[in-house]
Amino acid sequence: MSTEEFRNEQQFITDLYTRLDDLRDQAEAAVERALRTPGGGGNQGRLERDVMVAEQSGLLAALNAGESGLCFGRLVFKDGRDHHIGRLGIREDDPNRTPLVVDWRAEVARPFYLATGYEPMGLSRRRHISTLGRTVTALHDEVLDLGDATRSGHESRDADEVLLAALDAARTGRMHDIVQTIQAEQDGIIRSPHRGVLVVEGGPGTGKTAVALHRAAYLLYAHREQLAKRAVLIVGPNPAFLGYIGNVLPSLGETGVLLATPAELFPGVRATGTDTPRAAAVKGSAAMAGALAAAVRDRQQVPERGEPLIVPHEDGDLVIDWDMALEARHKARETVLPHNLARPYFVFRILDALAEQLADRIGADPYGGPNFLGPDDIALLAKGIAGNPEVYAAIDTLWPALTPQDFLADYLAEPTHLADADDIEAIRRDGGDGRGGGVWTPADVPLLDEAAELLGEDDSAVRAAEEAERQKQIQYAQGVLDVSYASRTYEFEDKEEHDKDASEVLSAHDIIDAERFAERHEEADHRTAAERAAADRTWAFGHIIVDEAQELSAMAWRLLMRRSPNRSMTLVGDPAQTGDPAGVGAWERILAPYVEDRWELVRLGVNYRTPAEIMAVATEVRRADDPGFEPPSSVRSTGVEPWDRTVDHPVKEAADAVATELREEGRIAVIAPPELHPGLIAALPEAAYGPAPDLTRPLVLLDPRQAKGLEFDTVLVVDPEGIVAGAVHGTNDLYVALTRATQRLGIIRSATRR
């Protein structure tokens, strides 16, 4: 019977992949046909075509990404129902028939994750199907109805056999989905109906990241129409982390997601510079919002009393004095618009005042009578003044048009409006990106975003140019139609015959006007919602997930909240792992300014990654700072104790230890303070390193901040005392480093620090 069960499942998997191949071929053909066909019917027709291309392209990407382990489970109900469970829902050609595979997010699939012998949820048995490629390698059955005497020969003696096998498997350098092993507490969070801000807190190895990613997949499944248009943003702490998790959502069939670090959320800016810890803390503080707002107001100036601006003009010098500029500034500020959007009001007020000044001069009656210039004359004078470049040069000194980049570069060159002089000196630098050889840092990105909000973008000139180009295309299209219409007159001997027959023959004029004809030839935008969102600073996402949320600064939270006007967010993290000097840490401090107490907190308390032996060492480190600290409970013990050595030459010792560990299966991480990296790079030439190292390599060199959220079979922590001494939250950084291993941990201390 065992062989028959195995053979039946293999046949099912074979048939399933045949259907998958058919669906892939259909999607490829549909995309190819659509791209060859112009989008008719104006904007609506192009939109329909582009949506279809995006949908079919997304389906194709999902089918390709979700192929590995497509089906992983089977539910046999007491009432005779029988469903296979998989990463994607796969139907037969007849949509009315039961799906070949039920999507793991469907409600009917929930017993796969929640059913127990005490509460079987209608199940007779639950089967875990293990595959390698398209081949079934193992079956694990859990009998939930003890009254059912049927046995398959694949019953598992340990209900956690599949989970433990997944936890003990060697790492690959890429995070895998956990759809086959989602635990009940995780399932409740993933499917939480909470529509506001959901905070998921948990220690190392509790599956916070996996839960967040699977929640993203679930929300995209449950709210497809809404989120497909607005996209989901997932924010991670660093590029290495994003590379590590990058395959999870595609493997679950979801491609409409933007993954980014906080430093990548200002389009057009690459933040590759480095701040001192003090500078990062100052830039990330909430006080920077007020400082930047005050600095913008400083750029809205008036001349000194008694020192007016003199502007040469063909009809005599014009004078912009304190009173004139002050009144214009007051009117512009009254609009409560951002700086650049309020600027036209300032400009118009100055131009009007200068026109009246000029009118008083050239239109005055020498005998004291009324000014002989009327409103139309004064309007012409204003127009002439507006054409004077020197007038605009003077206005620019008072209320300049500013870009976020230029404004922030100037501000950082001469910081102001901060209470602490040391803070001012900490962030001072000679120019920003493109100025004085400087570059933007990750802590600058939220400041650029804040500046963009304060300044606004006056796109009137761009829109005017676009409209002019549109009218030009319409005129061209009208000419094409006129030529087409005129050419038909030559088919008739006289105009009378043409007019009589023309009404009976359809021409281009009859079925399309010039505007629609021009629209048909506009370039279509085939970008996905996520791609459009990446290029649009003002994009409002349908849902935002933030991993390692405790790391973000107050200014970074201001940036993210602008991207989430509906406040639909999932935040995951652990305040005990806060390492960033500007990290807000406590959830209350993060959320109170935006949602007050309208958020929900759930905690994960089971550690699936870190063996008990390693967790005991890490716990001692945390309790040195917090005696009452309670770690998450490890589900497994390997029997392998961490080793701890104090040596004279820690770099050499690390190289020797790596040579030994490379004989074992899996991947190794060497985690050390940044100052040791040059020596370790020379001693470990085979190691991957840098801002975004290739985690699929057997050996990788990281600093503690880079290691956040990652896991490796073996971890060597070099110079732990240096890690603690080298950061504001050094103990937290060491705690992170010690909890990255799934199997083995080695600690190498420097004798010179004793």
Side-chain angles (χ1 to χ4, degrees):
M1 189 161 183
S2 171
T3 302
E4 182 182 355
E5 287 283 338
F6 208 92
R7 186 166 53 248
N8 289 342
E9 291 294 2
Q10 180 61 67
Q11 185 60 54
F12 175 83
I13 294 296
T14 299
D15 294 342
L16 176 63
Y17 278 102
T18 298
R19 175 62 177 154
L20 181 76
D21 291 338
D22 290 342
L23 290 172
R24 183 186 290 113
D25 292 343
Q26 293 169 18
E28 288 176 344
V31 170
E32 187 176 348
R33 284 196 306 272
L35 293 177
R36 287 202 310 262
T37 305
N43 285 333
Q44 183 63 31
R46 287 201 317 280
L47 177 62
E48 291 173 357
R49 182 191 66 180
D50 293 346
V51 168
M52 193 277 285
V53 169
E55 287 177 346
Q56 293 299 317
S57 298
L59 172 62
L60 188 58
L63 293 174
N64 290 334
E67 176 168 331
S68 177
L70 180 59
C71 175
F72 55 79
R74 183 176 182 178
L75 299 177
V76 180
F77 289 86
K78 296 177 185 179
D79 61 10
R81 288 179 296 146
D82 188 332
H83 296 301
H84 281 84
I85 309 297
R87 285 172 171 77
L88 304 173
I90 303 292
R91 289 188 172 274
E92 298 191 58
D93 287 322
D94 183 355
N96 296 317
R97 297 184 63 182
T98 301
L100 283 170
V101 175
V102 173
D103 193 297
W104 67 276
R105 296 163 288 190
E107 189 63 24
V108 72
R110 291 207 77 180
F112 188 79
Y113 304 108
L114 301 182
T116 65
Y118 179 76
E119 180 51 68
M121 300 180 70
L123 287 185
S124 173
R125 67 176 51 236
R126 171 172 49 206
R127 169 170 289 175
H128 295 266
I129 303 172
S130 300
T131 57
L132 181 62
R134 301 186 174 193
T135 301
V136 177
T137 58
L139 303 178
H140 302 273
D141 284 354
E142 296 176 62
V143 177
L144 299 175
D145 179 10
L146 299 180
D148 184 353
T150 304
R151 294 294 180 265
S152 66
H154 295 281
E155 284 74 24
S156 293
R157 289 169 292 181
D158 186 345
D160 292 328
E161 185 175 344
V162 176
L163 171 63
L164 293 174
L167 297 178
D168 285 332
R171 306 298 101 173
T172 65
R174 291 288 182 265
M175 186 178 185
H176 296 292
D177 63 66
I178 60 167
V179 288
Q180 193 169 356
T181 58
I182 292 172
Q183 302 301 290
E185 67 169 353
Q186 297 171 331
D187 183 80
I189 297 170
I190 289 168
R191 299 173 192 263
S192 170
H194 186 73
R195 293 183 176 273
V197 178
L198 177 66
V199 177
V200 183
E201 181 181 309
T206 54
K208 301 183 299 296
T209 298
V211 166
L213 294 174
H214 288 70
R215 177 162 171 75
Y218 173 76
L219 292 173
L220 285 163
Y221 173 84
H223 307 285
R224 176 72 62 193
E225 184 174 352
Q226 174 189 357
L227 294 183
K229 295 176 182 177
R230 297 174 60 186
V232 171
L233 170 65
I234 296 180
V235 180
N238 55 59
F241 176 84
L242 295 182
Y244 176 64
I245 69 170
N247 292 336
V248 174
L249 284 167
S251 75
L252 300 175
E254 299 300 343
T255 55
V257 176
L258 175 63
L259 276 69
T261 67
E264 296 170 329
L265 291 176
F266 195 91
V269 166
R270 294 182 66 250
T272 58
T274 303
D275 277 311
T276 65
R278 177 69 179 267
V282 175
K283 289 179 179 180
S285 67
M288 284 302 305
L292 293 179
V296 168
R297 290 177 68 86
D298 288 347
R299 304 301 297 271
Q300 302 163 3
Q301 299 179 354
V302 297
E304 296 289 337
R305 285 181 179 272
E307 299 181 13
L309 294 180
I310 307 301
V311 182
H313 189 66
E314 58 186 7
D315 293 315
D317 289 348
L318 300 173
V319 179
I320 303 176
D321 61 17
W322 184 85
D323 290 314
M324 180 193 299
L326 188 67
E327 193 270 344
R329 185 174 72 176
H330 175 70
K331 292 298 183 182
R333 285 179 174 177
E334 270 190 336
T335 65
V336 199
L337 290 170
H339 174 90
N340 288 331
L341 300 184
R343 183 177 184 272
Y345 293 87
F346 179 83
V347 172
F348 295 152
R349 203 74 183 178
I350 293 292
L351 293 178
D352 286 346
L354 291 177
E356 291 174 3
Q357 183 184 114
L358 189 58
D360 288 343
R361 181 189 307 161
I362 65 177
D365 185 344
Y367 301 103
N371 194 310
F372 61 79
L373 294 181
D376 291 343
D377 299 315
I378 295 176
L380 285 174
L381 289 177
K383 185 176 181 180
I385 292 171
N388 183 342
E390 294 196 60
V391 170
Y392 270 92
I395 290 174
D396 282 343
T397 66
L398 301 177
W399 195 300
L402 299 169
T403 67
Q405 289 90 332
D406 286 343
F407 166 75
L408 187 60
D410 290 341
Y411 176 82
L412 293 176
E414 195 60 48
T416 56
H417 301 291
L418 292 173
D420 192 320
D422 290 337
D423 287 348
I424 289 176
E425 289 307 312
I427 66 173
R428 187 190 302 275
R429 72 165 182 254
D430 294 331
D433 188 50
R435 293 188 177 196
V439 294
W440 298 118
T441 70
D444 290 332
V445 169
L447 304 187
L448 286 167
D449 196 73
E450 189 76 22
E453 288 293 307
L454 293 168
L455 297 173
E457 181 181 0
D458 183 3
D459 61 351
S460 56
V462 174
R463 286 188 283 108
E466 291 175 347
E467 179 60 22
E469 179 62 25
R470 177 174 171 272
Q471 292 300 325
K472 180 180 176 182
Q473 293 297 328
I474 292 174
Q475 291 175 9
Y476 174 78
Q478 186 64 56
V480 172
L481 293 175
D482 290 344
V483 170
S484 171
Y485 180 76
S487 67
R488 290 180 55 239
T489 63
Y490 294 112
E491 299 174 11
F492 302 92
E493 293 182 356
D494 55 44
K495 184 178 183 300
E496 215 174 273
E497 181 182 353
H498 169 266
D499 291 341
K500 181 180 79 170
D501 291 345
S503 61
E504 301 174 7
V505 181
L506 283 176
S507 71
H509 272 282
D510 298 314
I511 60 176
I512 191 169
D513 59 23
E515 185 171 359
R516 290 176 63 196
F517 185 66
E519 286 175 348
R520 291 186 64 173
H521 293 276
E522 291 178 4
E523 184 177 351
D525 187 351
H526 295 298
R527 294 178 301 169
T528 65
E531 290 169 336
R532 294 197 300 274
D536 185 352
R537 190 194 68 83
T538 63
W539 190 274
F541 289 91
H543 191 78
I544 295 179
I545 290 175
V546 185
D547 205 310
E548 303 291 350
Q550 76 281 348
E551 296 297 299
L552 270 62
S553 69
M555 293 302 294
W557 281 113
R558 289 175 66 87
L559 178 156
L560 281 179
M561 290 298 175
R562 294 185 192 107
R563 309 296 196 273
S564 181
N566 64 352
R567 300 296 188 261
S568 179
M569 309 178 83
T570 301
L571 314 181
V572 298
D574 178 14
Q577 298 183 60
T578 303
D580 194 288
V584 177
W587 305 122
E588 293 82 0
R589 291 203 300 271
I590 291 171
L591 297 172
Y594 306 103
V595 295
E596 297 180 343
D597 60 352
R598 300 186 303 277
W599 51 280
E600 181 177 335
L601 173 66
V602 293
R603 289 186 172 89
L604 295 169
V606 178
N607 187 334
Y608 299 98
R609 176 206 303 143
T610 317
E613 295 85 353
I614 295 176
M615 200 64 208
V617 174
T619 299
E620 287 184 14
V621 169
R622 283 293 304 135
R623 285 181 176 164
D625 277 0
D626 180 7
F629 173 74
E630 286 299 326
S633 177
S634 297
V635 300
R636 64 195 179 102
S637 174
T638 61
V640 179
E641 293 292 337
W643 53 263
D644 190 328
R645 301 171 189 162
T646 300
V647 298
D648 292 327
H649 304 289
V651 170
K652 181 181 182 303
E653 183 69 20
D656 293 342
V658 164
T660 300
E661 291 293 343
L662 282 173
R663 300 171 192 154
E664 302 288 339
E665 183 183 16
R667 278 158 178 75
I668 305 170
V670 175
I671 304 177
E675 59 267 22
L676 290 185
H677 281 211
L680 287 166
I681 290 170
L684 302 169
E686 68 273 42
Y689 63 91
D694 181 0
L695 299 177
T696 64
R697 297 267 293 274
L699 175 64
V700 62
L701 172 62
L702 305 167
D703 64 45
R705 297 286 301 284
Q706 286 180 296
K708 282 186 178 293
L710 307 182
E711 61 183 23
F712 305 89
D713 299 277
T714 300
V715 170
L716 300 177
V717 177
V718 183
D719 192 13
E721 289 79 12
I723 290 175
V724 173
V728 175
H729 303 294
T731 300
N732 293 355
D733 284 351
L734 179 56
Y735 178 62
V736 169
L738 294 172
T739 54
R740 300 304 98 193
T742 65
Q743 301 293 337
R744 297 171 296 279
L745 171 67
I747 302 171
I748 301 173
R749 303 179 189 273
S750 174
T752 60
R753 292 192 182 272
R754 293 287 177 170

